[in-house]
Amino acid sequence: MPDTDTHPGRAAGLVPAPLSIDGPHRGTVRLGADTALAAAPGTEDTARWLRATLGAAFGLPLPPGSPEATDTLALALDPALPAEGYRLEADARWGVRITGGGPAGVFWGTQTLRQLLGPLAFRRAPLAPDRPVVLPQQTIEDGPRFGWRGMLLDVARHFLPKDGVLRYLDLLAAHKLNVLHLHLTDDQGWRIEIARYPKLTEIGGWRERTKLGHRASPLWDDRPHGGYYTHDDIREIVAYAAQRHITVVPEIDVPGHSQAAIAAYPELGNADVVDTTSLKVWDTWGVNPNVLAPTDTTLRFYEHVLAEVLDLFPSPFVHIGGDECPKDQWRASAAAQARIAELSLSGEDELQSWFIRHFDRWLADRGRRLIGWDEILEGGLADGAAVSSWRGYAGGVAAAKSGHDVVMCPEQQVYLDHRQHPSPDEPVPIGFVRTLEDVYRFEPVPSELTDEQAAHVLGTQANAWTEVMDTPARLDYQVFPRLAAFAEVAWSRLPAPADRDYRDFTRRMAVHYTRLDALGVDYRPPGGPRPWQKRPGVLGRPIDGAPPNV
């Protein structure tokens, strides 16, 4: 009888857990200098990735070969499998075969193979060139629960240079996540070159100083901060992601969170209410009152911006923000009130809806879909628009019940800037305590949705807002290891939250930490922060108690 593991992935510490494992059985498959790599048409990108990663880690040449030969790592496609599903077969008689329903499925299968080969597979050069590369005989069948398995990376508040973004794409791929939501613009900085409007990066890409910690903190970093991605940087990021079957979704924030753009081009702001020529790129945190003016000038400006964005990002979705837009300036603006009257709108909420609907139509005319934060529901939402539900579940529930597609990313559950422990040693503690176990028990689909409504839940996303993450090490600390738990929620078909085997997950994480170590991830250890990870004296904003389920 086959030795079928009742806890898939336990033996090798696989994260996320696969659907099923037949094995491991007696006998091993060895990969060595003579092992060939046979890549069927459609799997060439994955073959290149294997040579660049496993080949480098173990010093294996992996020359081209035939799938019928022995001692072969074979990549193949089988349309009978789901597009992102795969079957991994390791047999001592012939080698390893990874079959995917599509190229993405093959790639996810190679991520599992990498984990099966141990932490040395995550190194960039062989540490033990003479040690045999082996894995037990077994068959793994797998495929994801959700099609959207994402992470938001906020590069507007603290800029992450291009190489850091590429590194995070590799980390997402290692966890079978397939969407990078790149938050490119905000009050504190504009991070993408727009050739038509060079001052967006010349002026909007830099702030004079930066608040250290929460906005109530008395501390400042007086060094100028900034940076941006050129067109070629973006093309490289997008191509690198595509090779890893990751979609990069750009976010250009409107009509709030826009002071960096107004600082560069004052005519975008409500100049009849505030002296927009005096505004600078914002140096602190919170909700900013300086929002875009609802004028034709603003609409044309952002159409031109988005035209360049569409040329750079092939993503079917474009995120336009739409959140935290205070209406005070519109209430005081004669121009805004005239627009409300001209359009026969009921007030400022409908004015924001008009603004969002304009860009929904504009994007739809160009074959793209608008997605925005759940505030875009207020005042009415265009039929084709999708919603990122961040203030809780309620926005996503309302959107799904209205027939809109939803990405679930409630702040109370999966905002990775929130603190991981109640200890005073947590660096710059923000928000509710969200432990590794809390994230593991997160459920993206509310039980109140019918099956038809639940089908509108495209998937889920963990968000890393970087106001208090001012270095790559701080980013790593907040994101990991919780992103591993989130990845299992997004990929694996887990039972109800209360029934999930967290003890088994922690056993597998004990293995996974060694992979993160090999990758150089400065994660939060289970026992608490290391001395250099603490930030004593930098004020945060911890919120006590359990987060509301809203």
Side-chain angles (χ1 to χ4, degrees), residues 493-514:
R493 287 166 173 79
L494 299 176
D499 298 329
R500 292 176 188 172
D501 192 346
Y502 180 68
R503 181 176 297 180
D504 174 65
F505 177 71
T506 58
R507 280 192 288 263
R508 288 182 284 116
M509 278 302 298
V511 179
H512 198 62
Y513 285 121
T514 64

Side-chain angles (χ1 to χ4, degrees), residues 275-341:
D275 178 10
T276 56
T277 62
S278 69
L279 296 178
K280 298 180 178 180
V281 178
W282 213 26
D283 57 13
T284 189
W285 319 119
V287 178
N288 190 310
N290 295 302
V291 302
L292 297 175
T295 63
D296 289 343
T297 296
T298 300
L299 296 181
R300 298 294 89 74
F301 184 96
Y302 276 89
E303 287 172 0
H304 297 150
V305 167
L306 289 171
E308 292 192 30
V309 169
L310 296 192
D311 282 342
L312 296 169
F313 293 91
S315 165
F317 287 95
V318 175
H319 207 292
I320 50 72
D323 62 315
E324 296 180 328
C325 178
K327 309 299 192 298
D328 295 343
Q329 289 186 354
W330 288 355
R331 292 186 187 99
S333 166
Q337 292 302 310
R339 173 123 292 183
I340 289 172

Side-chain angles (χ1 to χ4, degrees), residues 149-490:
R149 307 179 302 281
M151 175 184 154
L152 176 142
L153 186 55
D154 171 21
V155 297
R157 272 55 176 269
H158 278 102
F159 179 64
L160 187 65
K162 180 198 69 178
D163 284 354
V165 178
L166 300 181
R167 174 176 175 263
Y168 258 81
L169 286 167
D170 281 330
L171 292 172
L172 295 188
H175 293 83
K176 299 186 174 74
L177 297 172
N178 68 346
V179 175
L180 175 64
H181 175 167
L182 205 54
H183 181 72
L184 290 163
T185 72
D186 216 294
D187 301 304
Q188 295 85 5
W190 186 284
R191 305 292 176 222
I192 178 172
E193 174 191 16
I194 301 297
R196 185 168 184 142
Y197 300 116
K199 288 191 287 187
L200 284 172
T201 48
E202 292 171 2
I203 296 174
W206 302 89
R207 59 178 181 263
E208 294 179 354
R209 63 176 186 170
T210 300
K211 176 67 70 172
L212 278 180
H214 184 254
R215 61 182 176 271
S217 166
L219 302 177
W220 293 90
D221 182 343
D222 288 322
R223 297 172 299 175
H225 177 85
Y228 64 92
Y229 309 110
T230 67
H231 282 191
D232 282 347
D233 291 338
I234 293 293
R235 291 186 184 100
E236 182 181 355
I237 288 168
V238 168
Y240 195 83
Q243 291 168 354
R244 287 146 183 80
H245 300 277
I246 296 172
T247 299
V248 184
V249 176
E251 180 177 350
I252 305 295
D253 230 326
V254 297
H257 288 287
S258 298
Q259 183 162 318
I262 298 169
Y265 292 92
E267 64 270 23
L268 298 174
N270 295 283
D272 59 346
V273 176
V274 63
D275 178 10
T276 56
T277 62
S278 69
L279 296 178
K280 298 180 178 180
V281 178
W282 213 26
D283 57 13
T284 189
W285 319 119
V287 178
N288 190 310
N290 295 302
V291 302
L292 297 175
T295 63
D296 289 343
T297 296
T298 300
L299 296 181
R300 298 294 89 74
F301 184 96
Y302 276 89
E303 287 172 0
H304 297 150
V305 167
L306 289 171
E308 292 192 30
V309 169
L310 296 192
D311 282 342
L312 296 169
F313 293 91
S315 165
F317 287 95
V318 175
H319 207 292
I320 50 72
D323 62 315
E324 296 180 328
C325 178
K327 309 299 192 298
D328 295 343
Q329 289 186 354
W330 288 355
R331 292 186 187 99
S333 166
Q337 292 302 310
R339 173 123 292 183
I340 289 172
E342 170 199 342
L343 299 170
S344 300
L345 303 177
S346 64
E348 291 76 24
D349 283 348
E350 275 202 8
L351 182 60
Q352 177 167 338
S353 177
W354 165 81
F355 200 103
I356 300 300
R357 284 173 181 267
H358 174 87
F359 288 105
D360 178 80
R361 291 191 298 272
W362 190 91
L363 288 168
D365 288 345
R366 289 153 182 82
R368 307 296 184 96
R369 290 185 66 186
L370 180 147
I371 185 168
W373 302 111
D374 53 56
E375 286 96 328
I376 68 174
L377 289 164
E378 298 165 3
L381 183 60
D383 290 342
V387 170
S388 299
S389 188
W390 77 274
R391 289 181 294 180
Y393 288 103
V397 169
K401 287 184 175 180
S402 300
H404 292 283
D405 289 339
V406 178
V407 175
M408 284 292 188
C409 48
E411 65 167 329
Q412 302 86 351
Q413 312 298 328
V414 288
Y415 266 34
L416 300 182
D417 47 313
H418 283 211
R419 58 192 173 132
Q420 303 181 64
H421 194 276
S423 166
D425 287 336
E426 287 301 303
V428 201
I430 297 294
F432 295 102
V433 173
R434 292 286 83 195
T435 66
L436 183 67
E437 182 172 1
D438 291 330
V439 174
Y440 189 67
R441 298 194 188 280
F442 164 60
E443 172 49 49
V445 181
S447 58
E448 63 201 90
L449 296 181
T450 66
D451 289 346
E452 181 179 358
Q453 293 163 351
H456 284 290
V457 178
L458 301 175
T460 184
Q461 182 171 288
N463 294 345
W465 300 102
T466 62
E467 289 94 334
V468 299
M469 301 182 217
D470 53 357
T471 67
R474 278 287 293 125
L475 180 63
D476 278 6
Y477 181 92
Q478 291 301 129
V479 170
F480 288 99
R482 292 182 296 180
L483 193 71
F486 173 80
E488 185 146 312
V489 168

